[in-house]
Amino acid sequence: MSLKTRNKDGILIFDVENEDMQTFKDDLRIIIEEAAKKTNKIIINLKELQNINSHLIGVISSSKRLLSSLNGDLVVINATEKIINVFKVVHLNKIVKITSSEKEAIDYLKKL
Amino acid sequence: MADKITGNILVIDDDESILRLLSKFLKSEGHKVVTDMNGINALEVFKNEKFDLVITDMYMPDLDGLDIIRNIKDIDQNIPIIVLTAAGSITNVVQSLKLGAFNYMAKPVNINEVREIIQKAFLTNAANRQQKNFYAFLQSAVSVFKIKSAVEHLEEISYYLNNMLVFYGFSSNWQIQLAFTEAFTNAVCHGNNSSPDKFVLCEIAFSRHEVIISIEDEGAGFKVPDLKNYQLNDDIYAGSGRGIFLINSYMDSVEFNDKGNRIKMSKKRD
């Protein structure tokens, strides 16, 4: 299993369990689009992810746009310093909220 | 059958019966064996004597197997360590492998398995030493790979690239890996349009100062000015171009051939 899903107070949390996006077999974009039919608040937990690629950046930005259009939001948590560096290079940090803890992300999404 | 390799083995376990069993068996196999029931003492012994292999229990009262691996790897990064663990304790096994243990054996130990794993450890270590000796005088190397056009092959070639980058002392390793991943994925998914009948040609040239990577697909190519001048504009949500943008951001130089089906990128060593 490369992706685990949890529900906390109506917020859907995706735990990415792969170290590398290349070994990620599921189509995360479709999974999030399906999830957005049930909730407009999503957290993507990147704790286990060591290497990112442009595909995941595209998935995160399109999911952000989708959830915003539904008056919700998406938060990325537990990204490594290396991954945050990549987010900054492509300016993803300007549009997506990134927090270091799940609690902070949940508190933010609850206020929406 | 190939000759058996023997060596000096340190065995650490707080269970005397296991120590006795392993010591007797390993000596009968021609190895020199030192045993210790205490992890802290064993580290002192390790500092004062040259060993070829360490077998350590995972759970001990004074110092656990993970601490032993950390300490021993600090002293000798190349020594193979085999971990003895209770059946089913997978978390610690994974942790020990991440710390650099060679392999693990579940208790109760199977003597045939002990023999097999130790021989594998010695053979792997000998091969690594040989490779290191070879690399020591290697000033530059060029590798050319013609690979079936599939992202699944990225893992193997990335592994090779990573090893070479580490050997040549590139500290910006992950950035080069990312650029390579993006270029290779572009070649497979966009250049070759995910066709399984096509190939990707990768040429990787290393020197002690620079790495130059060239990736060519068999597709019709893209408009080069679009690739060269690609910049992220205000539309962060734009659907494409992030891969090329990352490559431009992390590599020192990026060039394309006229047809637009080959990218050549380089990065100097920091």
Side-chain angles (χ1 to χ4, degrees):
Chain A
M1 182 86 177
S2 51
L3 187 74
K4 268 191 182 164
T5 311
R6 295 180 282 136
N7 194 321
K8 236 180 193 177
D9 305 329
I11 297 165
L12 212 52
I13 303 168
F14 290 102
D15 297 308
V16 175
E17 296 196 320
N18 289 52
E19 286 190 5
D20 201 309
M21 278 313 293
Q22 299 311 319
T23 54
F24 198 88
K25 303 294 178 204
D26 302 315
D27 193 333
L28 189 56
R29 191 188 305 265
I30 293 173
I31 294 170
I32 292 179
E33 279 171 10
E34 281 302 309
K37 290 174 186 168
K38 295 172 195 155
T39 178
N40 60 357
K41 294 170 185 175
I42 285 177
I43 293 173
I44 300 182
N45 179 8
L46 299 182
K47 192 178 174 187
E48 300 296 326
L49 194 70
Q50 297 301 315
N51 299 304
I52 196 166
N53 61 13
S54 61
H55 175 70
L56 183 63
I57 293 165
V59 170
I60 292 173
S61 67
S62 67
S63 302
K64 157 76 188 181
R65 181 156 61 176
L66 172 67
L67 293 166
S68 294
S69 72
L70 300 168
N71 299 318
D73 206 352
L74 171 143
V75 182
V76 171
I77 64 171
N78 295 323
T80 63
E81 214 172 291
K82 191 167 88 179
I83 288 175
I84 290 175
N85 179 305
V86 178
F87 285 170
K88 284 179 181 167
V89 165
V90 295
H91 306 158
L92 194 71
N93 59 321
K94 289 182 181 171
I95 59 163
V96 174
K97 189 164 178 66
I98 300 163
T99 70
S100 52
S101 78
E102 188 175 303
K103 186 184 177 306
E104 200 183 332
I106 289 174
D107 289 346
Y108 163 77
L109 289 171
K110 272 185 177 173
K111 284 179 195 159
L112 291 180
Chain B
M1 195 179 150
D3 288 343
K4 208 161 49 186
I5 307 173
T6 57
N8 192 16
I9 301 177
L10 174 62
V11 187
I12 314 162
D13 199 314
D14 61 332
D15 183 336
E16 207 176 343
S17 62
I18 296 268
L19 284 186
R20 262 204 312 271
L21 172 79
L22 282 174
S23 177
K24 193 177 167 194
F25 171 70
L26 294 172
K27 281 177 181 168
S28 75
E29 291 277 296
H31 301 290
K32 199 180 154 202
V33 184
V34 176
T35 60
D36 208 304
M37 292 178 68
N38 177 294
I40 295 168
N41 286 347
L43 286 178
E44 283 307 309
V45 171
F46 185 80
K47 282 177 195 164
N48 296 316
E49 192 171 333
K50 174 82 185 118
F51 289 96
D52 303 301
L53 186 133
V54 174
I55 299 175
T56 179
D57 186 22
M58 180 59 81
Y59 302 101
M60 285 180 293
D62 56 335
L63 197 65
D64 75 10
L66 297 178
D67 284 329
I68 287 177
I69 297 169
R70 277 189 204 101
N71 280 287
I72 286 181
K73 287 287 175 183
D74 276 348
I75 301 165
D76 182 352
Q77 213 192 333
N78 300 316
I79 190 157
I81 302 174
I82 296 167
V83 177
L84 296 172
T85 183
S89 52
I90 193 73
T91 313
N92 275 321
V93 166
V94 171
Q95 200 56 24
S96 64
L97 295 175
K98 280 186 175 174
L99 287 173
F102 175 77
N103 211 329
Y104 70 96
M105 291 187 284
K107 287 182 180 177
V109 288
N110 173 326
I111 289 302
N112 289 327
E113 191 189 14
V114 174
R115 179 187 293 121
E116 195 182 318
I117 291 180
I118 287 176
Q119 283 306 302
K120 268 189 194 161
F122 281 149
L123 284 171
T124 306
N125 222 29
N128 287 344
R129 255 202 317 270
Q130 232 170 10
Q131 197 179 30
K132 250 189 171 166
N133 291 342
F134 171 67
Y135 283 153
F137 64 82
L138 194 66
Q139 290 302 308
S140 62
V142 179
S143 306
V144 180
F145 304 90
K146 187 176 180 183
I147 309 164
K148 271 243 176 222
S149 189
V151 282
E152 287 75 20
H153 299 316
L154 190 54
E155 204 174 331
E156 290 92 359
I157 195 164
S158 290
Y159 181 75
Y160 165 81
L161 178 63
N162 183 52
N163 282 346
M164 293 297 276
L165 290 170
V166 169
F167 166 71
Y168 279 103
F170 282 81
S171 57
S172 49
N173 191 339
W174 71 267
Q175 295 161 329
I176 299 168
Q177 286 274 5
L178 177 61
F180 177 80
T181 298
E182 293 298 334
F184 187 87
T185 310
N186 270 348
V188 171
C189 299
H190 303 304
N192 283 342
N193 214 9
S194 299
S195 163
D197 302 325
K198 290 187 172 169
F199 288 88
V200 176
L201 191 68
C202 299
E203 187 177 307
I204 308 176
F206 292 95
S207 73
R208 297 198 178 268
H209 312 288
E210 190 180 29
V211 57
I212 303 169
I213 300 170
S214 166
I215 298 178
E216 182 174 341
D217 59 62
E218 296 182 328
F222 295 92
K223 283 183 190 167
V224 175
D226 292 350
L227 297 174
K228 267 187 181 168
N229 302 322
Y230 185 82
Q231 289 293 322
L232 276 189
N233 51 30
D234 291 337
D235 182 11
I236 298 168
Y237 296 113
S240 62
R242 287 188 199 89
I244 293 290
F245 184 77
L246 285 171
I247 293 169
N248 281 324
S249 302
Y250 285 131
M251 299 301 278
D252 294 333
S253 78
V254 181
E255 293 169 24
F256 299 89
N257 64 346
D258 291 342
K259 189 179 169 188
N261 69 333
R262 187 176 70 226
I263 182 169
K264 187 177 172 186
M265 52 196 178
S266 71
K267 180 106 178 160
K268 293 208 184 307
R269 207 178 80 167
D270 296 333

